[in-house]
Amino acid sequence: MISPTRPTDPARLRELVHVLRGRRVVVVAGAGCSTESGIPDYRGPEGSLQRRSPIRYGEFVRRPGARTRYWARSAVGWPRMSATLPNAAHRALAELEAGGVVQGVITQNVDGLHHAAGSRRVVELHGTLSQVVCLECGGRVVRDAFQERLLDRNPGWLDGLADARRRAETAPDGDAELDGVAVEGFRVPGCDRCGGIMKPDVVLFGETVPADRVETAWRLFDEGDAVLVVGSSLAVYSGRRFIYRARDGDVPIAVVNLGPTRADDVAAAKVEDRVGRALPRIARALLPRA
């Protein structure tokens, strides 16, 4: 649930718009962009990290039981994730890109909502839940197709979890909370090409962001002459690194976020508000009127 906030401070909004006006903006986006679409975050006061630990890469790779638990939970959580729609923040960023203000978005989110809203240049640092990858041959399939395979291998299983599905809490990676009884006996298909282990095409905890993806993000970063942080506390280094580069290169940094961020001490301007409320106003101020 999104906490109520005071209206955007007009003076701070004008200050942020002034910082961005006339500049090529690169956006660094985090979970705060998705919470207003109903996707919970990990690190907020009510985030899932406060209650349970997400699966780690080493555990997923080494322990068949951990993989079974992950995919059983994901089979429950995926329908909700795949039905999630972009919100006003996503749409405003897409409009700013179409209008030539935003050069692109570097996102820590894995939900695909920037693409769904119409953003064209998106670097998904942590991957995307919309694909599944084989750890043996590197083959990829779309998540919807893998969902069908999961349910085909476990006929009637999902129908028997009606109560659990209503209670299930879905994490940002689509991993719904289920008890051990619900997971028992769940069967996970391997790669249909080589029989290898199938993994969500996302960077799990304890896994590193692929070097080529980081390089793509740096190339996009270098096209901008201002950075806009949207909905991220920058607690994770994969996003914070861009703030360090901007600071060292005297690139102006602007922030729209509820709560403190690791960029607050170097930001030229900050608006503390829900991104779905602040970004449409920023877009109206920066985009030329017809």
Side-chain angles (χ1 to χ4, degrees), residues 81-121:
M81 289 292 297
S82 62
T84 303
L85 298 175
N87 60 57
H90 298 107
R91 294 191 294 271
L93 290 176
E95 291 170 6
L96 285 165
E97 181 186 346
V101 175
V102 164
Q103 305 303 298
V105 177
I106 301 169
T107 183
Q108 298 166 284
N109 300 331
V110 296
D111 48 48
L113 293 180
H114 291 290
H115 286 296
S119 290
R120 296 182 177 276
R121 303 191 69 197

Side-chain angles (χ1 to χ4, degrees), residues 256-267:
V256 180
N257 191 61
L258 273 177
T261 79
R262 297 286 290 273
D264 288 355
D265 59 339
V266 294

Side-chain angles (χ1 to χ4, degrees), residues 42 77 101 134 150 178 201 214 252 267 277:
Y42 275 123
V101 175
C134 175
L150 285 169
L178 293 175
D201 197 11
V214 175
R277 179 161 56 186

Side-chain angles (χ1 to χ4, degrees), residues 12-21 23-29 93 221 225-232 234 242-243 246-247 250-257 261-272 275 279 282 286:
R12 291 190 178 276
L13 187 65
R14 288 193 296 270
E15 182 181 0
L16 187 143
V17 168
H18 176 73
V19 169
L20 299 182
R21 191 181 300 281
R23 290 190 165 100
R24 297 167 298 172
V25 179
V26 173
V27 173
V28 176
L93 290 176
F221 175 89
D225 46 28
V227 173
L228 174 61
V229 177
V230 175
S232 176
L234 301 169
F242 302 102
I243 302 310
R247 176 200 62 193
D250 293 323
V251 174
I253 301 164
V255 176
V256 180
N257 191 61
T261 79
R262 297 286 290 273
D264 288 355
D265 59 339
V266 294
K270 180 183 181 183
V271 169
E272 186 152 347
V275 294
L279 283 176
I282 293 168
L286 289 174

Side-chain angles (χ1 to χ4, degrees), residues 59-79:
E59 181 185 19
F60 186 94
V61 171
R62 290 191 296 268
R63 296 180 53 204
R67 292 195 296 275
T68 298
R69 185 172 67 251
Y70 174 86
W71 282 118
R73 291 174 168 181
S74 180
V76 175
W78 176 246

